[in-house]
Amino acid sequence: MPAVINPLRTALIAVAVAVACLGSASNALATQDPPGASLGDGPGPKAADTSASAGAQGDKLSSSVTGVIVFDRSKNGTGTSTGGVTSTTTWTPPACYYAPSYTPKEISSRMRQIWMGSSPSPEWSRKTQDYFVNGKPYKDFNEEKEGEGYWWDAYITEGREADPAAQDCDALPFWVDKGDAPPADVPQAITSEVLAQLAYSEIRVPSTEVSLAPAGATKVNLPTWAWLDTTQFKPVSVTASVPLLGLSATTTAEPVSLKITPGTNDAITYPASGECAIRDGQIGEPYAKGKADETPPCGVKYLRSSGDGAYMLKATVTWKINWTSTTGEGGDLPDGTFGAEQDVTVQEVQAVNR
């Protein structure tokens, strides 16, 4: 089945090419993002540069296409082997969202370039002119409300560009007065909770490679102790903000358990579930000399040699995740997991004949 060509995307390309050919007087405009970059019924949401600051300067939004959301990752996990958590449910953070994008003068300029240049079709032009200009439902791009609110449009969450759900935000831009909540029937519109969900995507936690002892190759039928460096496993958090709205939310992940998967059915885990709860701030317990025959609080006992190879042990940490916000709202988000695999060589205990 051939790909569907979106008429607005074609129009935007034509406008951008035309602008680029207008000469030096228009070169500044040609370097801007394509006019009407997502504007509903069009090429879909635009990707947001989430590293910039955002604000309003007169009749322009510095967050018009970039920097609508700012992430503070300074309290995230660190190190070379950090990674994002995976939800323990089918829920995922939103792939797209709506946020402030244009002032009335900005959206008027962008739309008029499309209408005067190469709009997708007469029908689409009539529809959007009725919508933005002729009072169905907006009049003259709400220019009489300049400074009193913003046009909200769609953005794609960074890293989700190929996700089909990124195309769910396909509505035409809508107006929101300053201080008002976005429409309740637009679930992807930025709220404190949506910000918290987007911050969930930015959480990074430490590697989960466990320490195993006794040192050296593990022996058949001897308990192997497992533990993690607890200095790395502290709560981590990311704050997502929309400076333009004075709104922010902080999502925090706290480690709650370590699950050991031995890599073979010929093994016994401690505890039997393989799920090692965190106790007194510790994940497992470091091995100490003289404990070789004791049952570890967290560990594994292999019942068969790995031969010339190794078993692939997987250690997965579960993180409990919650959020707070500047609005006073907060709550829980689905637990997240992050795991890593490591080789474990298991040898037979050698007997000495006398």
Side-chain angles (χ1 to χ4, degrees):
M1 180 177 179
V4 176
I5 303 299
N6 191 297
L8 181 54
R9 185 183 293 277
T10 303
L12 297 180
I13 294 172
V15 170
V17 171
V19 169
C21 296
L22 289 179
S24 59
S26 299
N27 282 344
L29 183 59
T31 63
Q32 297 176 6
D33 298 277
S38 65
L39 298 179
D41 289 354
K46 51 185 169 286
D49 175 359
T50 56
S51 61
S53 60
Q57 299 176 352
D59 60 358
K60 294 185 180 297
L61 291 186
S62 62
S63 65
S64 179
V65 178
T66 60
V68 65
I69 294 181
V70 178
F71 291 106
D72 178 357
R73 304 176 180 89
S74 62
K75 296 180 181 179
N76 227 340
T78 57
T80 58
S81 300
T82 58
V85 296
T86 300
S87 170
T88 57
T89 71
T90 57
W91 174 87
T92 60
C96 65
Y97 56 90
Y98 294 94
S101 296
Y102 311 104
T103 66
K105 288 185 179 180
E106 284 178 322
I107 200 169
S108 172
S109 173
R110 290 166 186 259
M111 287 305 301
R112 292 185 192 283
Q113 287 182 68
I114 296 174
W115 292 332
M116 294 174 62
S118 178
S119 56
S121 69
E123 180 184 1
W124 184 88
S125 293
R126 286 193 298 270
K127 172 186 174 181
T128 52
Q129 287 175 26
D130 282 345
Y131 182 85
F132 289 111
V133 180
N134 299 329
K136 299 179 182 179
Y138 301 106
K139 182 73 173 175
D140 297 328
F141 296 102
N142 271 2
E143 288 183 357
E144 79 285 354
K145 301 186 76 172
E146 188 76 47
E148 299 177 16
Y150 307 107
W151 287 95
W152 289 40
D153 202 0
Y155 295 81
I156 296 175
T157 304
E158 188 175 2
R160 302 285 294 277
E161 292 81 5
D163 190 331
Q167 302 304 316
D168 289 346
C169 301
D170 59 359
L172 284 168
F174 52 88
W175 179 265
V176 179
D177 285 332
K178 286 183 179 179
D180 284 359
D185 60 350
V186 184
Q188 303 99 330
I190 284 293
T191 61
S192 58
E193 184 170 6
V194 171
L195 275 180
Q197 294 171 356
L198 293 170
Y200 187 110
S201 296
E202 300 296 319
I203 289 287
R204 296 295 180 267
V205 297
S207 168
T208 54
E209 183 172 351
V210 296
S211 299
L212 300 173
T218 297
K219 307 300 183 182
V220 171
N221 291 323
L222 288 180
T224 298
W225 294 55
W227 69 95
L228 286 167
D229 181 358
T230 55
T231 61
Q232 296 184 44
F233 282 81
K234 305 295 184 184
V236 299
S237 65
V238 172
T239 297
S241 305
V242 180
L244 198 66
L245 302 177
L247 184 66
S248 68
T250 298
T251 299
T252 301
E254 181 177 4
V256 293
S257 65
L258 166 69
K259 184 172 181 63
I260 298 292
T261 305
T264 174
N265 290 329
D266 293 318
I268 297 171
T269 56
Y270 305 101
S273 64
E275 194 85 20
C276 306
I278 294 180
R279 294 188 175 91
D280 300 325
Q282 290 191 334
I283 305 176
E285 181 183 327
Y287 173 77
K289 186 177 180 180
K291 291 186 175 182
D293 294 326
E294 294 184 20
T295 299
C298 182
V300 59
K301 179 167 71 175
Y302 287 95
L303 307 179
R304 188 183 298 273
S305 165
S306 59
D308 294 331
Y311 295 124
M312 191 67 73
L313 179 145
K314 184 172 184 180
T316 303
V317 174
T318 296
W319 298 76
K320 182 176 178 59
I321 301 178
N322 58 66
W323 64 280
T324 59
S325 70
T326 50
T327 65
E329 298 173 288
D332 293 329
L333 291 170
D335 289 351
T337 61
F338 182 62
E341 294 180 332
Q342 61 196 87
D343 290 339
V344 178
T345 301
V346 182
Q347 299 175 342
E348 295 283 356
V349 176
Q350 299 298 316
V352 178
N353 295 321
R354 295 184 183 276

